[in-house]
Amino acid sequence: MAAVAEISADATNTMDSKPKPESEFSVQKLVDMFTKLNPLAKEFFPSSYPQNHDNLYQGFNQFSPTNFLVNAKPLANDNYPNRRRRNSFNQGRRSNGRSLKAQREDSVRRTVYVSDIDQQVTEERLAALFSNCGQVIDCRICGDPHSVLRFAFVEFSDEYGARTALNLGGTVLGFYPVRVLPSKTAILPVNPTFLPRSVDEREMCARTVYCTNIDKKVSQAEVKNFFESICGEVTRLRLLGDQVHSTRIAFVEFAIAESAILALNCSGMLLGTQPIRVSPSKTPVRPRVISATSH
């Protein structure tokens, strides 16, 4: 029995003296390594942090949370407020676009298209005809290059006036019965800075016509000769155009108002290779301002 007890004791001592598993040594090594690391070492800072962080942290308590700089570069989560601001801006643009579209649609519903207008009919006379239907806020007569007659757009202050105006179709104005239909477009507003500012400028408008669809190859001298040969003396002419539009426009001022009325009959005539369109002008042809140059 003593021998057996001795053998058991030896076995127990042998088991206790077995080497510890390798995993325990590995964990201990890692613990020892981490405790020796410097948390302010360059390797522990992302590249987005300032390059001179070593100098910034000298003399600071390395364990103070106030010593860590805020990253100047926004984090992924920081992008959401910016995205919301951008979306708000885009939504604002879309809202403005929808608002302008609604305004145009409302203007179209308040506008009628009038055709077969006698050349002798003025905008004032046409507006007076439709004033019985409601308040007329704009009237625009245009020359038709495909007809000796003209057409116009009349805009009312409300839709009721436009619907009532449709009943005037067939009314004789001048020598022809006019046709009145719902308009498909709104009247393009005139820049108020171009409108007449005085009695003299209103008189100039009465002597001026607005000509469109002019062939780009036609010169200003040719336009002047065209109107003078048919209508009378031209006192001032402004020919305009750009690289975007295929044709040009012109404002032609005559010496007398009767010549401007005759010019309205030129709608549809060929000037170069294009039939021109002539309408009364709402703006005078102001003389060009020559800036003084220093000598």
Side-chain angles (χ1 to χ4, degrees):
M1 292 294 292
V4 173
E6 185 176 352
I7 293 172
S8 300
D10 293 337
T12 302
N13 293 334
T14 303
M15 292 176 63
D16 292 339
S17 63
K18 279 185 178 180
K20 295 182 179 181
E22 184 65 27
S23 60
E24 293 185 15
F25 282 99
S26 299
V27 172
Q28 187 60 42
K29 287 180 179 180
L30 289 174
V31 172
D32 294 337
M33 290 172 60
F34 281 121
T35 56
K36 296 177 182 179
L37 291 176
N38 178 13
L40 296 180
K42 188 178 299 185
E43 292 78 8
F44 289 94
F45 283 83
S47 59
S48 59
Y49 272 75
Q51 297 298 321
N52 60 344
H53 61 271
D54 291 333
N55 297 329
L56 292 173
Y57 285 99
Q58 286 179 359
F60 285 175
N61 179 3
Q62 66 179 10
F63 299 107
S64 173
T66 59
N67 288 340
F68 290 92
L69 298 178
V70 178
N71 190 355
K73 186 177 181 180
L75 300 176
N77 291 336
D78 292 337
N79 288 333
Y80 288 104
N82 296 334
R83 186 177 302 163
R84 283 196 294 271
R85 285 194 292 270
R86 287 195 298 269
N87 290 341
S88 299
F89 176 73
N90 292 332
Q91 288 172 1
R93 293 180 61 182
R94 287 195 293 269
S95 298
N96 291 338
R98 287 193 295 267
S99 176
L100 291 174
K101 182 180 179 181
Q103 291 176 8
R104 285 195 298 268
E105 291 174 351
D106 176 65
S107 180
V108 170
R109 288 192 295 267
R110 292 186 285 105
T111 304
V112 294
Y113 170 77
V114 186
S115 62
D116 296 347
I117 301 173
D118 193 321
Q119 294 284 354
Q120 305 302 318
V121 174
T122 63
E123 289 182 342
E124 290 77 14
R125 186 176 175 186
L126 183 65
L129 171 68
F130 286 99
S131 62
N132 295 324
C133 304
Q135 182 183 1
V136 176
I137 61 175
D138 201 353
C139 178
R140 193 76 52 85
I141 293 181
C142 308
D144 190 346
H146 306 294
S147 172
V148 295
L149 301 177
R150 296 177 293 160
F151 63 91
F153 297 92
V154 181
E155 182 179 348
F156 295 87
S157 59
D158 53 38
E159 294 182 39
Y160 176 79
R163 288 195 299 267
T164 306
L166 299 176
N167 298 323
L168 293 183
T171 302
V172 177
L173 191 61
F175 295 100
Y176 300 93
V178 296
R179 292 198 307 158
V180 185
L181 299 171
S183 179
K184 295 181 179 179
T185 60
I187 298 177
L188 186 66
V190 178
N191 188 330
T193 60
F194 297 149
L195 294 176
R197 305 170 186 169
S198 63
V199 175
D200 290 340
E201 287 194 344
R202 282 194 288 272
E203 190 272 334
M204 290 167 61
C205 283
R207 295 185 283 107
T208 305
V209 295
Y210 172 64
C211 185
T212 62
N213 204 45
I214 301 175
D215 190 337
K216 273 200 166 185
K217 296 181 180 179
V218 175
S219 66
Q220 181 164 316
E222 290 174 322
V223 175
K224 182 178 180 180
N225 292 335
F226 172 84
F227 282 106
E228 285 192 330
S229 63
I230 300 173
C231 311
E233 181 186 356
V234 173
T235 55
R236 192 177 288 120
L237 189 148
R238 189 71 50 78
L239 184 62
L240 306 171
D242 53 37
Q243 300 301 320
V244 178
H245 298 86
S246 58
T247 57
R248 306 175 76 180
I249 63 172
F251 292 88
V252 185
E253 179 188 304
F254 294 92
I256 57 176
E258 287 74 14
S259 296
I261 295 174
L262 289 175
L264 299 177
N265 297 322
C266 295
S267 282
M269 292 185 179
L270 289 178
L271 180 54
T273 60
Q274 300 286 343
I276 60 173
R277 180 182 299 172
V278 186
S279 306
S281 177
K282 287 185 173 293
T283 62
V285 183
R286 296 189 177 101
R288 296 184 185 275
V289 177
I290 302 175
S291 59
T293 56
S294 58
H295 297 282

